Amino acid sequence: MPDKGIEVLVTFPSEIETKIQGPALMLLELTLRTLSGLDVRVVKNIKGDDSKLRKLMTIQQREAL
């Protein structure tokens, strides 16, 4: 089974627009990978979402809903 790296969960307040969140997540991931040298995966925390299907979706797929 492939290693999924180190997952960093980010929660955005409602004041941060959705269109800004994706680029911010990518920059944070790039920064953490560069500084640490580790396989870091930064993902958006979806508040109150228990759906197993949505947890398997990519960030882009979840934001498109």
Side-chain angles (χ1 to χ4, degrees):
M1 176 173 261
D3 182 20
K4 293 186 179 184
I6 299 168
E7 185 175 273
V8 175
L9 220 54
V10 176
T11 303
F12 289 99
S14 59
E15 294 85 5
I16 305 296
E17 295 181 44
T18 304
K19 67 181 180 183
I20 298 170
Q21 295 175 15
L25 291 170
M26 295 299 290
L27 283 171
L28 179 56
E29 183 172 297
L30 177 62
T31 301
L32 289 171
R33 286 175 173 238
T34 300
L35 294 174
S36 70
L38 299 171
D39 182 14
V40 177
R41 314 287 171 94
V42 176
V43 295
K44 180 178 172 182
N45 184 22
I46 306 298
K47 296 180 189 175
D49 184 10
D50 297 276
S51 169
K52 290 181 183 177
L53 180 59
R54 283 181 54 95
K55 287 181 182 181
L56 295 175
M57 298 171 97
T58 66
I59 293 167
Q60 292 80 14
Q61 289 171 323
R62 289 191 307 250
E63 287 180 351
L65 293 177

